[in-house]
Amino acid sequence: MSDHPALGTLRAHRVADAWAAFDAVCAGADGLNAFLAVDREATGLDVGPLAGVPVAIKDNLATHELPTTCGSRVLEGYMSPFEATAVRRLRDAGAAILGKTNMDEFAMGSSNENSAFGPVRNPLDRTRVPGGSSGGSAAAVAAGVVRLALGSETGGSVRQPAAFCGIVGVKPTYGRVSRYGLVAYASSLDHVGVFGRTVGDAAAGLQIIAGHDRFDATSAPHAVPEFLPPTVDGASADPRPLAGLVIGRPVEYFPASLDARIAAHCRHALTVLESLGAEIRDVSLPSTDLASPVYYIIAPAEASSNLARYDGVRYGRRAMADDLGAMYERTRSEGFGAEVTRRILLGTYVLSAGYYDAYYRRAQAVRELIRQEFSQVFASGVHLLFTPTAPTPAFRIGEVSDPYEMYLSDIFTVTANLVGIPAMSQPIGRVDGLPIGGQFMAPHFTEPTMLRAAAALERALGAEAHQ
Ligand code: GLN
């Protein structure tokens, strides 16, 4: 690992560079608002693969020196007594934990506008959102404050902000990275993910945080492979490095209603993948249109249970009241924002007697159907899938006010969380000057194939990825 080619570019960025960029873009009233807390004393270690490399951490991953608020008033100022495994692994590798990044409250959102501490601005256009829910981490990388940041994903919260900010975001296989210390939103869908400017940077970060952890019972016992072999990141002499690879183009992810310019960038990326030796094959995932409705039943259901712990007794904020019931009520009404409240109510409803069978049980059955459709496509000899990451580029702050319309931001990303497969987004071009992401999805535990194809595409697109 210590000779991973991407480590060179990560190591070149020092803490002093990070603060210079931070002071230039994050500070002040018109700053990006990407960070909720910073540690000006952070130095990292003198040794290790990430010795002294500044990194940023989404504020739903527990850290020792800095508060962990999840972008919520209910956890304002909360100090965790333990640290997330992914954070500890970065720290043990020598990284300097520069700060905690802003996010949609409890990771519920697609624009970062649901943070109790104000929206994050997209560094490429400050009138626009950076995406969400890991918007602060994406903005911090896109603005050059850090080259590596951690985010979390329940339905696309790393890939969609990566797409909106013109960077790379990777969600590994469920179980590949420990969730220990990741504040739970919907446990069967939650993942830790990474942001980098390049595929190599993101792969190097993933290399450090991946692997079994006895503190997370769902963490996979699988050995961690080399995510990006050194030869792939260097200038490869092979003009057809993807020969033998079959890349599926799921027709349901390219509906007639898809923005023609986004579709054109995806088509171009597929042509480039073909010229690199891959075979492109049209495939079908017929239940795709059910993924978002299923997600918005299962995720709130799990959230309503996970968020019951914020009762004013065990964690964070407590509102004063005359009796216990009133204390619970006031703590939770004052502590949670509108979207979190909506999800708790929705989740409680779909789990309640009389509605459980009609909604929750049915959603679980459809989730299984979606899983089987992916398995069948992969079993038919398809190694990877390629799709757009999001149906639109970054929208303006305040532009999408209808929650249902906001949920549509995730239509191409929620499936990978429902199925637990690895997926990632990388820049493939621009529309009206705004970045567009292309998404790869891959069978469980095949991140190396996915990252290899992504690195080849990145190299072949070159500057085109940002035009
Ligand atoms: N936008 C989705 C939601 O609001 C996904 C969020 C996430 O991945 N954490 O639930």
Side-chain angles (χ1 to χ4, degrees):
M1 177 65 215
S2 54
D3 62 351
H4 196 289
L7 286 173
T9 57
L10 288 178
R11 282 205 203 109
H13 193 68
R14 311 307 300 172
V15 169
D17 304 320
W19 290 124
F22 179 90
D23 291 336
V25 297
C26 287
D30 59 349
L32 297 176
N33 200 25
F35 285 84
L36 295 177
V38 293
D39 180 2
R40 287 268 178 189
E41 312 297 316
T43 56
L45 305 176
D46 295 334
V47 290
L50 292 181
V53 173
V55 298
I57 309 290
K58 187 177 182 179
D59 205 30
N60 59 352
L61 284 153
T63 43
H64 269 146
E65 278 86 6
L66 292 162
T68 299
T69 71
C70 295
S72 181
R73 294 253 174 251
V74 96
L75 283 177
E76 198 164 0
Y78 174 70
M79 295 297 292
S80 168
F82 61 91
E83 189 157 72
T85 297
V87 175
R88 190 179 42 75
R89 288 187 179 173
L90 287 178
R91 203 190 283 285
D92 289 348
I97 312 292
L98 207 74
K100 302 296 289 291
T101 56
N102 201 348
M103 57 183 281
D104 284 302
E105 185 175 8
F106 284 103
M108 297 175 190
S110 310
S111 68
N112 224 118
E113 293 166 294
N114 295 336
S115 168
F117 307 110
V120 175
R121 297 183 176 88
N122 189 317
L124 286 89
D125 175 347
R126 292 186 180 214
T127 67
R128 292 179 187 268
V129 304
S133 64
S134 314
S137 285
V141 171
V145 177
V146 289
R147 287 204 182 156
L148 186 64
L150 294 188
S152 75
E153 272 240 6
T154 305
S157 280
V158 167
R159 285 165 286 157
Q160 185 254 22
F164 279 19
C165 291
I167 59 171
V168 175
V170 181
K171 176 197 94 63
T173 308
Y174 186 80
R176 179 69 96 183
V177 175
S178 170
R179 288 183 296 115
Y180 181 71
L182 169 66
V183 178
Y185 161 11
S187 310
S188 78
L189 300 160
D190 291 344
H191 301 65
V192 176
V194 288
F195 291 100
R197 279 200 315 192
T198 62
V199 175
D201 286 0
L206 186 60
Q207 198 78 54
I208 285 164
I209 62 170
H212 181 254
D213 176 21
R214 67 192 176 89
F215 293 124
D216 172 5
T218 62
S219 127
H222 300 54
V224 178
E226 186 84 44
F227 287 123
L228 204 55
T231 49
V232 169
D233 209 46
S236 158
D238 183 359
R240 291 169 63 80
L242 302 184
L245 210 62
V246 179
I247 299 180
R249 177 187 168 281
V251 293
E252 292 80 5
Y253 287 70
F254 294 87
S257 57
L258 180 64
D259 183 312
R261 299 163 305 171
I262 295 182
H265 280 304
C266 288
R267 258 200 316 277
H268 178 62
L270 282 161
T271 309
V272 170
L273 288 164
E274 200 168 18
S275 72
L276 292 169
E279 177 194 332
I280 309 299
R281 201 183 285 175
D282 274 357
V283 296
S284 177
L285 293 162
S287 302
T288 297
D289 61 340
L290 299 175
S292 191
V294 161
Y295 173 85
Y296 280 99
I297 290 173
I298 294 176
E302 294 187 22
S304 70
S305 164
N306 275 326
L307 271 59
R309 71 191 65 167
Y310 306 106
D311 56 5
V313 178
R314 287 173 285 183
Y315 299 92
R317 182 190 190 93
R318 174 182 303 174
M320 289 305 152
D322 293 338
D323 63 79
L324 190 64
M327 189 280 283
Y328 287 156
E329 195 178 322
R330 277 197 55 198
T331 298
R332 289 171 68 83
S333 339
E334 291 172 13
F336 292 137
E339 184 61 27
V340 173
T341 305
R342 181 179 300 115
R343 305 270 183 115
I344 292 172
L345 292 172
L346 242 168
T348 306
Y349 178 81
V350 300
L351 287 175
S352 57
Y355 298 101
Y356 182 92
D357 285 334
Y359 295 106
Y360 183 72
R361 191 189 297 277
R362 233 184 178 170
Q364 290 292 16
V366 178
R367 181 179 187 176
E368 183 52 33
L369 188 68
I370 293 170
R371 234 184 238 139
Q372 285 170 12
E373 288 177 4
F374 272 86
S375 298
Q376 278 161 12
V377 165
F378 290 135
S380 74
V382 171
H383 301 106
L384 295 171
L385 298 168
F386 187 80
T387 76
T389 306
T392 64
F395 39 86
R396 287 188 197 285
I397 294 173
E399 185 179 334
V400 178
S401 53
D402 173 20
Y404 184 70
E405 199 187 323
M406 189 70 86
Y407 298 168
L408 293 178
S409 274
D410 317 317
I411 49 170
F412 300 141
T413 49
V414 293
T415 41
N417 298 72
L418 289 166
V419 180
I421 50 175
M424 63 182 291
S425 179
Q426 67 189 101
I428 56 164
R430 293 206 174 183
V431 164
D432 293 335
L434 299 168
I436 296 302
Q439 170 174 243
F440 280 109
M441 293 186 270
H444 293 95
F445 299 104
T446 61
E447 290 91 347
T449 313
M450 177 177 83
L451 290 160
R452 188 166 66 85
L457 176 63
E458 175 181 70
R459 196 167 54 244
L461 284 175
E464 262 187 305
H466 299 282
Q467 281 161 9

